[in-house]
Amino acid sequence: MSILKQFFAIAKPYWLSRASLISWLLFAATVALSLLLVQVMVELNVWNKEFFDALAALEGPLIYDLLIKFIAIVAIIVVMKVYGKWLQQWVEIRWRTSLTERLVSRWLNHQNFYRLTLTEEPDNPDQRIAEDIKLLTTDTLTLILGLIKSVATLSAFSVILWNLSSNFLLPLFDDIKVSGYLLWLAIIYSILGAGVTHFFGHKLHRLYYQQQKREANFRAKLLRSRDSAEQIALMNGQQREKQQLDSTYDNIASNWKSLMGREKKLGLVVNTYHQIAAMVPYFAAIPALMAGAITVGGLFQVRMAFMRVYRSLSWFIFRYDDLTRWSATVVRLTQFIEAMDKCELLSQQHTNSSAHVTSNKAQSLGLTCQELTIQKPNGQTLLSDVNLQMSGGESLLIKGASGLGKSTLLRTLAGIWPFYDGQYQTDSNNVLLLPQKPYLPKSTLRECLSYPQAPTTDDALYHTALKFVGLPSLLTELDIETEWQLTLSGGEQQKIALARALVLKPELLILDEATSNLDEPTAYLLIKELRTLLPHSTLLMVSHQSHLTELFERAIELKKTNLHAKSL
């Protein structure tokens, strides 16, 4: 029941919204086609009796008429199945689109994608969004429609099977009659099969869950190796990477072998069950055939009706693999959603216990902190009693030993670090933080320079920025799309980030070791020119490059418990 509750919690936001109206109509049409298909199968059951009776009687003209009828029935079945699948796929893509948009939005909103990495992030969120959502939507509709069709088939053919076997004598007992004998036999046989199937297959849920997790881990490791290709090559670390990839893949293979073993046992049970079932109606109906109670056509009609009832009652057995995979998918998506819930709750708690205020620009206040305490995610204090005030357009350099929390302080002031107490205020939401390792998306250079805003068609703006940072050679590559983080050196990437500041013109610019890969003269010149070209921007920088100090109006020394400032 817990799996169903989790599933309803995931599905409810879409299926109870007005946006799902068209999906409901498409789903209803799919169900209608499934029900009509059951009626056609009932007609095919009647055709079976007529055809084999005609065949036994050698009635040539009737046989050919029935063959023509069979072609018509098959054509109808094919059309219904094809369009039923087509309609089902429409419902799948609409639901998947909505669910993907909802979870991606939640993941990106409130910096959840970042803050999850600071807490108990579930493994591979990318895989849960990209693959698990697809599996959930596809498997859910397949299972529900299959169940509906099974119930409809059971309703239609159980009546037929009851009537056909109402006068059957029990095999080996020539004087005993049981009304609906074959129907009761199908029910008992299916119940026994379901029990045996669950006994051999109940461990598949855990194995499917582990398989999805380990497959995602392997893909993530491959991506990390590709993203760090230059560093790995420089350190000649390919052999170590190969060992780690082999180890990660070994985890996939070992779990796959366990899955194979469990599926083998289940396959033996299910296939044995199915093969026996195919012959049960023949053995059960032979006494009636020998007694003349039914014809040869009636025998084939009995077999088809029995198999339809048996398959309907065995829906759980034949869908056991799909059900275990579906349940594992529901659990993985639920874990992802619950992790975001906890992340947002934690962020809300910190917001309630502290304050981040956007002040009135009339106060001309660039940035201020009052008794700000910065913590690690585990609650350990990094910095305490941080008191700081900057006017609009002022520049400030922060110094201090490594590991004290300088970068964490900047991330707090940029609004992405939720673990703090106290207050800080800014006069604008136009804040740009440039970290030591810039982010350059796989896109055109124009888009990289404008990120996170949309690019413009003003080439002069980008030309000025590239010339400012000493990269005029890239002027002709503005609209070339490539992976710039792989093609540019570390120093060139930092130059692109500084050029981004000139393009975006933030009111509060925060630099976190943003010139660490540049030589001292270049770093000095770029920061100096940046102050000239962005005179109205408040500049806050963390750096170990002491030669930059004279470019700032103030410098402060960051210590373990508080900040002490000295004027330059």
Side-chain angles (χ1 to χ4, degrees), residues 189 270-281 283 306-307 310:
Y189 190 74
V270 172
N271 283 287
T272 301
Y273 171 79
H274 178 63
Q275 293 302 321
I276 292 175
M279 297 304 297
V280 166
F283 288 115
F306 180 88
M307 295 302 292
Y310 141 77

Side-chain angles (χ1 to χ4, degrees), residues 367 369 372 383 385-390 394-401 404-406 409-410 413 539-544 546 548-550 552-560 562-568:
L367 176 68
C369 303
L372 189 64
L383 297 169
D385 300 325
V386 178
N387 293 284
L388 176 67
Q389 184 167 328
M390 296 178 65
E394 188 179 1
S395 60
L396 173 68
L397 180 68
I398 297 179
K399 299 180 178 181
L404 289 182
K406 302 186 298 296
L409 172 63
L410 297 187
L413 299 178
L539 177 61
L540 179 62
M541 183 174 186
V542 164
S543 178
H544 288 98
S546 57
L548 299 178
T549 303
E550 62 184 74
F552 291 80
E553 296 169 315
R554 285 193 299 150
I556 58 176
E557 184 75 19
L558 182 63
K559 295 187 177 180
K560 187 65 178 176
N562 52 36
L563 287 172
H564 299 281
K566 62 178 181 180
S567 301
L568 297 175

Side-chain angles (χ1 to χ4, degrees), residues 109-112 115 119 340-354 415-420:
N109 285 347
H110 311 294
Q111 289 89 33
N112 279 337
R115 293 177 178 179
T119 54
M340 289 193 290
D341 290 340
K342 291 179 182 178
C343 186
E344 292 170 357
L345 179 61
L346 182 63
S347 178
Q348 185 64 36
Q349 289 173 345
H350 278 277
T351 301
N352 292 337
S353 62
S354 55
I416 67 172
W417 188 265
F419 308 105
Y420 70 91

Side-chain angles (χ1 to χ4, degrees), residues 66-299:
L66 288 171
L67 286 175
I68 294 173
K69 182 179 181 181
F70 176 75
I71 293 173
I73 292 174
V74 169
I76 293 172
I77 291 174
V78 169
V79 170
M80 285 186 170
K81 285 189 174 182
V82 169
Y83 277 92
K85 182 64 176 179
W86 184 72
L87 290 171
Q88 178 184 334
Q89 289 174 331
W90 264 112
V91 180
E92 287 175 13
I93 194 60
R94 289 180 61 84
W95 184 16
R96 181 185 177 186
T97 300
S98 175
L99 186 54
T100 300
E101 289 177 350
R102 180 163 64 90
L103 292 191
V104 168
S105 295
R106 279 200 67 185
W107 186 52
L108 294 177
N109 285 347
H110 311 294
Q111 289 89 33
N112 279 337
F113 65 97
Y114 168 69
R115 293 177 178 179
L116 279 174
T117 65
L118 308 175
T119 54
E120 298 179 2
E121 181 184 41
D123 62 274
N124 306 296
D126 54 313
Q127 189 261 0
R128 299 185 189 228
I129 293 174
E131 184 175 340
D132 287 348
I133 290 177
K134 177 181 180 297
L135 289 175
L136 178 73
T137 53
T138 300
D139 289 348
T140 298
L141 290 172
T142 299
L143 290 169
I144 290 177
L145 289 171
L147 181 59
I148 292 173
K149 184 178 177 182
S150 294
V151 171
T153 301
L154 179 63
S155 301
F157 281 92
S158 59
V159 175
I160 295 173
L161 191 60
W162 179 282
N163 292 332
L164 288 174
S165 61
S166 59
N167 294 316
F168 276 20
L169 295 173
L170 291 181
L172 306 180
F173 300 93
D174 294 341
D175 57 345
I176 299 178
K177 291 184 180 181
V178 176
S179 297
Y181 155 60
L182 283 180
L183 178 60
W184 293 115
L185 181 61
I187 293 173
I188 294 171
Y189 190 74
S190 300
I191 292 174
L192 291 174
V196 175
T197 299
H198 183 65
F199 176 80
F200 283 97
H202 69 280
K203 293 183 179 179
L204 283 173
H205 170 85
R206 177 182 58 82
L207 292 172
Y208 275 124
Y209 179 92
Q210 287 296 323
Q211 194 66 25
Q212 288 174 266
K213 176 180 178 179
R214 297 181 188 193
E215 294 279 3
N217 287 340
F218 184 61
R219 288 194 298 270
K221 177 60 181 171
L222 288 170
L223 287 173
R224 282 194 293 269
S225 296
R226 180 177 179 275
D227 292 341
S228 305
E230 182 179 10
Q231 295 90 326
I232 294 170
L234 288 171
M235 298 180 69
N236 199 29
Q238 57 269 17
Q239 190 60 38
R240 180 57 181 161
E241 290 296 308
K242 177 67 164 55
Q243 292 173 356
Q244 292 178 350
L245 286 170
D246 286 346
S247 176
T248 306
Y249 184 78
D250 286 343
N251 291 333
I252 292 176
S254 63
N255 191 79
W256 183 260
K257 291 175 183 176
S258 299
L259 192 59
M260 285 169 54
R262 184 56 54 178
E263 287 186 335
K264 179 185 69 175
K265 294 177 182 178
L266 183 62
L268 287 171
V269 172
V270 172
N271 283 287
T272 301
Y273 171 79
H274 178 63
Q275 293 302 321
I276 292 175
M279 297 304 297
V280 166
Y282 286 136
F283 288 115
I286 282 176
L289 179 65
M290 299 297 292
I294 59 173
T295 62
V296 173
L299 177 64

